[in-house]
Amino acid sequence: MTRIFSGVKPTGHLTLGNYLGAVRRWAEVDQHRGEALFSVVDLHALTVEHDPARVRRLSRQAATLLLASGLDPELCVLFVQSHVDEHARLSYLLECTATDGELRRMIQYKEKSVRARESGQSVRLSLLTYPVLMAADILAYGADEVPVGEDQTQHVELTRDLAVRFNQRYGHTFTVPRATRPAVAARVMDLQDPGSKMGKSHENGAGIVYLLDDADTVRRKVVRAVTDSGREVVYDRDVKPGLANLLDLMAAATGGNPEELAGVYESYGALKKDTADAVVELLRPVRERHAELAADPGYVDAVLRKGAERARGMARPLVDRAYRAIGLLPAA
């Protein structure tokens, strides 16, 4: 059976981009076609300045939203990364396998370290090494597939390189995973800045639709989305990125094709209105289910506790094997 692993960082409120780019596929496809594990990867939230209470709050909110989006604990394993020690145990072995050069070439490290320095913050070592922890997240479970957005493909390639290198040096231990991406709306862009991804931690939230935004807020953000010069409605990401982003959202929300949808509309206004309505209806059941789950935190805690137990049972034998392979003396 195919084993699938993916996760979400609790660095901000989950967005429409997270939902369309990953979470919906997890719920509708991935948990039904293989042995799927999904994690709130809270250790990754510690690579930058953070408020501890906020990390805890967002971790719980993310887990609750994943359940509200349709993840079924009877079909998949849902857990919090820090609840399973094997992630940190394996990460150090992979740090001993990775090189300084390949980590410094990671695009996200380059971008985030520049932003940190520009804001007067120090750059934490964990910001450099967190791709190794991400590799440990995946390799600890022998995952075959990693559903990711385009911006995470480089991390999966590093994971593959580390798995192959470890296997060649110390004997076959790890499955070499592959990245998978949804065909439509794999990368939803900011409504006010269609050249940038719709991210959780963007300073200006005007172009970000959050999963817990109310209907009026969603409509206002979509209707105020930046479009492009000219009046012709065409799907062209290079020439009209703002319009293409709206068409991608409409297609993802309705199951349509963005190029075909472009031929249906004669004005930007009509497209914005219909896209806003479609997004509101897409997110309505998620918000309603979230409200139900948030009123029963004991249920969410039980799901996460059971998920961590299952994840631990799957990861520990493989990580123990990696410890033996690399030359560490087994505990008595």
Side-chain angles (χ1 to χ4, degrees):
M1 181 179 292
T2 299
R3 184 169 287 182
I4 301 161
F5 178 92
S6 199
V8 60
K9 288 190 294 184
T11 51
H13 301 288
L14 295 189
T15 72
L16 179 63
N18 298 128
Y19 183 73
L20 292 178
V23 176
R24 184 171 68 167
R25 176 187 170 95
W26 298 353
E28 295 182 354
V29 179
D30 292 327
Q31 69 174 341
H32 298 283
R33 68 181 182 85
E35 196 171 26
L37 300 100
F38 302 108
S39 181
V40 178
V41 286
D42 53 344
L43 295 175
H44 291 292
L46 310 184
T47 60
V48 295
E49 291 294 330
H50 63 276
D51 173 11
R54 186 171 187 265
V55 171
R56 284 190 291 270
R57 185 171 64 252
L58 289 176
S59 296
R60 174 177 291 281
Q61 183 187 91
T64 306
L65 278 168
L66 292 179
L67 290 169
S69 298
L71 291 191
D72 184 345
E74 297 300 320
L75 297 175
C76 67
V77 180
L78 176 63
F79 67 101
V80 175
Q81 177 194 33
S82 63
H83 295 175
V84 180
D85 294 344
E86 277 61 38
H87 293 254
R89 288 181 62 208
L90 181 56
S91 183
Y92 182 72
L93 299 195
L94 296 179
E95 284 186 13
C96 296
T97 307
T99 67
D100 174 78
E102 62 190 344
L103 293 182
R104 292 187 185 278
R105 287 193 295 271
M106 301 300 287
I107 294 171
Q108 290 203 9
Y109 172 72
K110 292 180 180 180
E111 294 176 348
K112 291 181 178 180
S113 61
V114 168
R115 289 200 297 269
R117 292 188 183 97
E118 289 176 346
S119 64
Q121 298 178 2
S122 59
V123 179
R124 300 186 180 191
L125 180 61
S126 57
L127 187 62
L128 176 66
T129 61
Y130 90 89
V132 178
L133 176 59
M134 184 179 293
D137 298 338
I138 298 164
L139 298 180
Y141 298 100
D144 302 290
E145 295 184 8
V146 189
V148 292
E150 293 177 5
D151 60 324
Q152 296 295 328
T153 301
Q154 188 184 33
H155 290 117
V156 180
E157 288 303 314
L158 175 66
T159 301
R160 291 171 55 85
D161 291 343
L162 295 180
V164 169
R165 190 177 305 155
F166 192 100
N167 289 346
Q168 290 175 341
R169 290 178 179 175
Y170 308 115
H172 183 78
T173 306
F174 298 119
T175 299
V176 180
R178 60 184 180 276
T180 59
R181 293 198 300 272
V184 178
R187 195 174 191 189
V188 179
M189 312 308 282
D190 190 290
L191 294 172
Q192 292 297 315
D193 180 12
S196 300
K197 187 182 72 167
M198 185 181 286
K200 296 189 295 293
S201 54
H202 198 286
E203 292 181 2
N204 180 5
I208 303 171
V209 174
Y210 297 102
L211 296 189
L212 295 180
D213 279 345
D214 60 49
D216 289 341
T217 300
V218 172
R219 286 195 176 90
R220 182 171 65 253
K221 289 179 177 180
V222 176
V223 168
R224 293 179 180 177
V226 169
T227 48
D228 311 280
S229 60
R231 296 184 177 181
E232 186 181 8
V233 180
V234 295
Y235 183 74
D236 190 325
R237 275 203 167 274
D238 295 325
V239 177
K240 295 192 173 187
L243 192 59
N245 192 35
L246 286 171
L247 288 165
D248 275 338
L249 287 178
M250 184 68 173
T254 62
N257 178 285
E259 294 182 351
E260 293 177 359
L261 285 169
V264 173
Y265 292 94
E266 297 181 356
S267 71
Y268 293 175
L271 172 61
K272 285 183 173 181
K273 180 183 180 301
D274 286 356
T275 302
D277 289 342
V279 172
V280 166
E281 291 307 310
L282 178 72
L283 298 183
R284 186 187 304 280
V286 176
R287 289 198 309 273
E288 291 175 350
R289 179 59 177 152
H290 175 271
E292 295 174 358
L293 291 167
D296 187 8
Y299 171 76
V300 177
D301 286 343
V303 168
L304 296 177
R305 184 167 54 250
K306 182 179 179 181
E309 291 172 358
R310 293 173 64 190
R312 198 176 300 118
M314 297 165 74
R316 183 163 295 170
L318 195 153
V319 175
D320 286 348
R321 188 161 71 247
Y323 267 57
R324 292 191 297 272
I326 206 170
L328 298 178
L329 187 66

